[in-house]
Amino acid sequence: MNRRTFNVTSLAALLSPLPRLSLASITAQTAPGHQVAEIKNGQFTASHGGMATSRTAVNDNTLFQVASCSKTVTALAVLTLVRDGRVELDQPASTYLRRWRLQGPRGETATVADLLSHTAGTTVHGFAGYGPDEELPSTLEILSGHPPANSDPIRTRQRLFRRFSYSGGGTMVLQSLIEDVTGIGFASYAGAEVLEPVGADHATFAITPNAGFAHGTHEDGKPLPGGFRRHPESAAAGLWATASDLARVMDAIVQSLRGTPDAIIPKALARRMVTPVSGQSALGVFVHSDSTIFHDGRNFGFDATMAAELDTGRIRAAVTNRNGALEGLFHTLSD
């Protein structure tokens, strides 16, 4: 699934004042499910509305697929390995890969930072996921493009001057790297070393969460068979989270930039994370006008977005279970 284009209008809407939701909007049966969360001047605020399923209303703890926002969590997972001296950003990723080799012109030389910034020239833009009755591939089958994987093999193409080319495939190489370095499954490592420490208490990379989750709908209102597409491509698109969880992830980056004692990564490493490499692309986040970092995502049936103002520390995140509903949601809530 292609990453939803994030534009300046969307960013402005995301950073507009947090609205109050009326009881009518919270309980409206026809409203797409949504959550909005904000951290401003040290104060946390969250709101929600609409329906998680045809029979269940969204609450503060309802999980949504947040698609490519997963990549920011993956980046933080990689950076914890850098923090601990187990990985170096400017070393070739091939140094750390054990079970699989990245093929192509830059397969042996593309660095960890290249993969994080979408400048490695790796293929496969995004992933469509798998229906309820489809067999799920392993990580190695996804990387190699072998059945039952429904995506192409991940390899490198020649990229002049490290130009940006968005690649969920490159993020999957990082999933394999994390597992090879730690000997731990990606979901377990990211949960223990990123999600739990930053306070994203409900977020999970489980393919099917144990807690209550929303069912997705296409832009035309048609529900997804089974409620959602399953994503074994965890690092690139598989995170389930609340808007509050996403706000906590962004706050962890802000706190790291401030050098707070319990920050997840050191200040210098956080500064590198938010420094653009090519265009707006930094390491697991995008940078707008050098003062706001953001990421957004779209899977079939779900949209998500999150942003943090680095100057003020203000953070905003939003999720919905209907494609195309985010901007309409902001317009509605601003009335």
Side-chain angles (χ1 to χ4, degrees):
M1 185 78 179
N2 286 354
R3 185 178 66 90
R4 183 174 66 89
T5 301
F6 197 106
N7 55 53
V8 176
T9 301
S10 300
L11 188 59
L14 181 61
L15 297 175
S16 64
L18 187 69
R20 290 181 176 273
L21 297 184
S22 67
L23 180 62
S25 66
I26 292 174
T27 59
Q29 297 294 313
T30 58
H34 59 268
Q35 297 167 340
V36 180
E38 181 181 51
I39 302 173
K40 184 178 181 181
N41 299 324
Q43 298 297 311
F44 185 90
T45 310
S47 57
H48 60 263
M51 303 302 291
T53 70
S54 60
R55 297 183 178 182
T56 308
V58 171
N59 60 44
D60 284 339
N61 300 330
T62 302
L63 292 170
F64 292 74
Q65 281 191 356
V66 299
S68 288
C69 292
S70 308
K71 294 179 175 67
T72 302
V73 175
T74 300
L76 285 171
V78 171
L79 293 176
T80 63
L81 295 174
V82 177
R83 174 200 68 195
D84 296 342
R86 304 175 74 179
V87 168
E88 293 183 27
L89 284 172
D90 297 315
Q91 282 295 312
S94 59
T95 304
Y96 307 104
L97 296 171
R98 298 289 178 263
R99 299 169 295 165
W100 176 86
R101 307 306 294 178
L102 179 59
Q103 302 295 318
R106 297 190 61 214
E108 291 298 318
T109 59
T111 68
V112 176
D114 292 338
L115 292 169
L116 286 168
S117 59
H118 303 280
T119 57
T122 45
T123 57
V124 185
H125 183 101
F127 299 96
Y130 297 81
D133 299 322
E134 294 180 286
E135 183 180 355
L136 297 181
S138 67
T139 299
L140 296 183
E141 287 168 335
I142 294 167
L143 292 169
S144 301
H146 291 161
N150 60 10
S151 51
D152 292 333
I154 298 164
R155 64 188 312 275
T156 61
R157 293 175 298 202
Q158 191 64 47
R159 302 293 298 175
L160 297 177
F161 312 114
R162 297 174 72 205
R163 290 177 180 170
F164 169 80
S165 180
Y166 191 86
S167 172
T171 307
M172 287 305 298
V173 178
L174 293 171
Q175 177 170 323
S176 185
L177 180 150
I178 290 169
E179 293 179 342
D180 287 347
V181 169
T182 66
I184 300 171
F186 171 80
S188 296
Y189 183 83
E193 300 297 327
V194 180
L195 297 176
E196 291 179 20
V198 307
D201 295 332
H202 299 95
T204 177
F205 279 103
I207 292 176
T208 303
N210 291 325
F213 58 88
H215 288 194
T217 54
H218 294 288
E219 196 160 353
D220 61 5
K222 291 183 179 179
L224 270 69
F228 65 100
R229 303 278 292 176
R230 296 176 297 159
H231 278 276
E233 308 92 355
S234 300
L239 184 63
W240 290 88
T242 65
S244 298
D245 291 328
L246 295 185
R248 299 295 187 196
V249 169
M250 296 303 270
D251 188 51
I253 299 171
V254 170
Q255 297 308 315
S256 295
L257 288 166
R258 292 175 175 174
T260 56
D262 57 349
I264 188 170
I265 56 175
K267 186 175 182 178
L269 194 54
R271 177 52 55 188
R272 172 117 188 234
M273 182 182 188
V274 302
T275 300
V277 175
S278 178
Q280 292 185 318
S281 184
L283 306 185
V285 293
F286 296 93
V287 184
H288 176 68
S289 300
D290 295 326
S291 61
T292 300
I293 59 171
F294 65 91
H295 213 299
D296 65 305
R298 168 174 286 187
N299 282 353
F300 285 115
F302 297 88
D303 285 352
T305 190
M306 57 186 183
E309 294 177 350
L310 300 184
D311 293 341
T312 66
R314 185 188 179 201
I315 293 163
R316 192 92 185 277
V319 294
T320 182
N321 61 343
R322 183 166 177 172
N323 290 140
L326 274 184
E327 294 200 28
L329 169 66
F330 284 123
H331 289 304
T332 299
L333 297 181
S334 299
D335 290 342

